[in-house]
Amino acid sequence: MTNQAVTETIEVDLCVVGAAGLPAAMAAAAFGAPVALVAEVDGGVPALAISALAAAARIEQGDVPAASADSRWLAARDRVQQACAAAAPNRSLARAEAIGVRVTRAVGRFVDGKTLDAGGRLIRARRFIIAAGASPLLPPIPGLTPDQTYTPETITNVPEPPAHLIIIGAGSTGLALGQSIVRFGARVTVIEAGRALRREDPEIARIVLERLAADGVVVRERKTIERVVGAPGDIRVALVGGEQIHCTHLLLAAGRRPRIQTLQLDRAGVAHDASGIIVDRHLRTSNRRIYAIGDCIAGYPYAANSAQHHAGLVMRAILFRLPAKIDAPSVPRVTFTDPEIAACGISEAEARAVRKDVVTLRWPFAENETARARDCVEGHVKLVATKSGRILGVAIVGRGASEILPLWTLAIAKRLKVGDIAGVMFPSPTLSQVSQNVAASFLAPVSRNPLARRLAALLRSFG
């Protein structure tokens, strides 16, 4: 049964549910497949907003000191809004309609495994892709309500820098926003139940946490919130143990919740739990006619561009019957603090827990000419590999880390070895050469090997 009177029934090859699936819908339409897309609104750009605010905070630091915090904050808001507005057309439903996608602006609800009700329009499809996305999680803290809080998507709506902002969650989002906002004169306290940046290598995380402390961000690790009382402007956060912290604004950055509650997945035979939709390594759900992509799926490392990447994999399978599977080790993750953290693969601790042949190499930004010229010498590349040269993981901390990482993401995805990276010709002088340097350092011990030295001497004797 549908929730509204049926106004139309259409049949398509593919139905995409959620604006995050726009790339999949457009790809299918480009190849001539009949496609429907169901979404309430255009796709959002929360990761872009965080990156833009971080960049604006760095720019504003160099402005005339006499400029007020309010004026600098308003200038930063304008930069963020301009960046998001410039990106919006690429994520608009109108763009999909322009190339022939049947767009329905409504909430989608499954009727059965082959049919979706979209505001009274019944869509029957051979296959479905669920790309419902996720929204900030409201932790189960007594007294905490949505009316008290801001999210990464809404915090820049505040007309002036918060007098005292408390951020719940010390992951990549919470810390990047906290550092950006403190640079506009706000007080910022970050409360974390566990370890700050717990997904990152502690060696790498420590560099960022020290910079945050120097900037004035107070990070309270291993603290549990007992209760929240008050309204924006006057909020009291009570910690277990009796301590109370007063603030004017509260920001949620303690994880994200998949937007799957209204989909009625049980009717379609799609298995799911509180963490999201359960998929196999090919992104198929328990109903083999239905795929799920992006951060609405369970048990997969979140990345800002995961839906777009997954869409490409799924379309390979749907359109061309080519094998496609997710590769968790090559998933990149970036923390837009200053300095940035960019990483993929596993950490040194994770590698040593399962292997005995682990080699760890580092190369400092301070040894790079471009880093010195740009005055961004803080940071380094950390490479984790096997003694045979297999790349297990890479973590980079420093300005520009996110621009250096893609090479290593490709290397892990394509099973390249350290020697392959060392053999690449990098443009010079560029910051990217830190990758070449750390890879070349893997080969340095060969020059100290007695057998290798004797072989080189023998070959020299031939002239």
Side-chain angles (χ1 to χ4, degrees):
M1 295 294 291
T2 63
N3 296 291
Q4 294 178 256
V6 176
T7 58
E8 182 184 14
T9 300
I10 64 173
E11 295 190 3
V12 293
D13 280 0
L14 175 66
C15 178
V16 180
V17 186
L22 182 66
M26 294 180 65
F31 281 97
V35 187
L37 173 63
V38 178
E40 290 184 90
V41 295
D42 291 343
V45 285
L48 175 60
I50 294 168
S51 175
L53 183 60
R58 290 196 293 269
I59 292 170
E60 293 299 329
Q61 275 193 312
D63 279 0
V64 179
S68 69
D70 287 359
S71 65
R72 292 188 295 115
W73 175 255
L74 291 175
R77 286 180 57 190
D78 288 344
R79 287 193 178 94
V80 172
Q81 290 167 3
Q82 289 166 8
C84 292
N90 294 329
R91 300 169 182 262
S92 70
L93 302 182
R95 186 182 182 200
E97 285 182 302
I99 65 169
V101 176
R102 297 283 298 271
V103 174
T104 303
R105 292 171 173 80
V107 176
R109 297 178 175 87
F110 280 99
V111 177
D112 54 41
K114 301 179 181 179
T115 312
L116 186 84
D117 173 18
R121 171 184 280 179
L122 286 186
I123 302 173
R124 294 196 175 99
R126 295 175 61 193
R127 293 180 181 83
F128 290 87
I129 297 176
I130 301 173
S135 55
L137 175 69
L138 185 71
I141 298 171
L144 184 64
T145 66
D147 293 340
Q148 295 168 314
T149 63
Y150 289 88
T151 68
E153 291 87 348
T154 63
I155 189 60
T156 53
N157 294 336
V158 176
E160 57 189 15
H164 185 191
L165 174 67
I166 286 183
I167 300 176
I168 301 177
S172 60
T173 298
L175 293 182
L177 287 171
Q179 184 184 39
S180 298
I181 293 169
V182 82
R183 290 180 169 181
F184 293 97
R187 288 180 59 202
V188 175
T189 301
V190 184
I191 300 176
E192 170 59 50
R195 179 175 68 86
L197 291 173
R198 60 181 175 272
R199 289 183 61 193
E200 306 303 335
D201 186 310
E203 172 189 331
I204 298 294
R206 183 174 62 254
I207 294 172
V208 170
L209 292 173
E210 289 174 353
R211 169 60 73 87
L212 288 167
D215 283 353
V217 178
V218 177
V219 180
R220 306 291 303 277
E221 298 178 280
R222 296 177 176 83
K223 296 293 182 180
T224 302
I225 299 176
E226 187 173 60
R227 179 172 294 276
V228 174
V229 179
D234 183 18
I235 298 174
R236 187 172 73 252
V237 176
L239 304 181
V240 171
E243 182 181 2
Q244 294 192 5
I245 307 175
H246 287 79
C247 68
T248 56
H249 298 76
L250 197 60
L251 171 65
L252 295 180
R256 297 175 69 80
R257 178 189 183 194
R259 296 192 190 101
I260 60 175
Q261 295 75 29
T262 62
L263 288 175
Q264 298 180 348
L265 295 172
D266 292 336
R267 292 185 177 183
V270 174
H272 59 95
D273 58 25
S275 64
I277 298 171
I278 298 169
V279 298
D280 63 15
R281 63 178 183 168
H282 305 290
L283 296 166
R284 286 184 186 270
T285 70
S286 52
N287 180 335
R288 295 185 62 80
R289 300 168 59 92
I290 301 176
Y291 295 82
I293 64 175
D295 51 346
C296 70
I297 67 178
Y300 187 73
Y302 171 73
N305 63 340
S306 60
Q308 182 173 347
H309 176 64
H310 292 171
L313 295 176
V314 170
M315 296 318 300
R316 283 166 52 93
I318 290 177
L319 293 175
F320 303 109
R321 306 300 191 268
L322 295 173
K325 62 180 180 180
I326 53 178
D327 181 25
S330 65
V331 174
R333 57 186 185 274
V334 177
T335 300
F336 290 106
T337 46
D338 180 20
E340 293 177 347
I341 296 175
C344 60
I346 61 177
S347 68
E348 179 184 9
E350 291 169 332
R352 293 192 184 282
V354 296
R355 306 184 67 105
K356 296 181 179 180
D357 60 341
V358 174
V359 176
T360 303
L361 302 165
R362 298 169 181 82
W363 194 269
F365 276 29
E367 294 292 323
N368 179 271
E369 295 176 354
T370 300
R372 287 191 172 279
R374 296 177 183 175
D375 192 25
C376 58
V377 296
E378 182 180 25
H380 64 270
V381 179
K382 181 175 181 179
L383 169 63
V384 180
T386 66
K387 292 180 179 178
S388 65
R390 177 187 169 192
I391 302 168
L392 302 176
V394 176
I396 309 168
V397 58
R399 283 193 180 178
S402 58
E403 306 298 333
I404 299 170
L405 185 67
L407 173 67
W408 295 104
T409 302
L410 175 68
I412 291 176
K414 296 301 182 181
R415 308 296 190 266
L416 301 181
K417 290 198 170 186
V418 179
D420 296 318
I421 304 301
V424 172
M425 184 174 181
F426 287 74
S428 178
T430 61
L431 190 60
S432 66
Q433 287 178 291
V434 294
S435 292
Q436 183 181 44
N437 294 141
V438 74
S441 70
F442 176 83
L443 305 176
V446 175
S447 66
R448 298 189 293 271
N449 184 292
L451 181 60
R453 293 175 69 88
R454 287 196 296 271
L455 177 60
L458 175 63
L459 293 174
R460 287 199 307 273
S461 69
F462 289 101

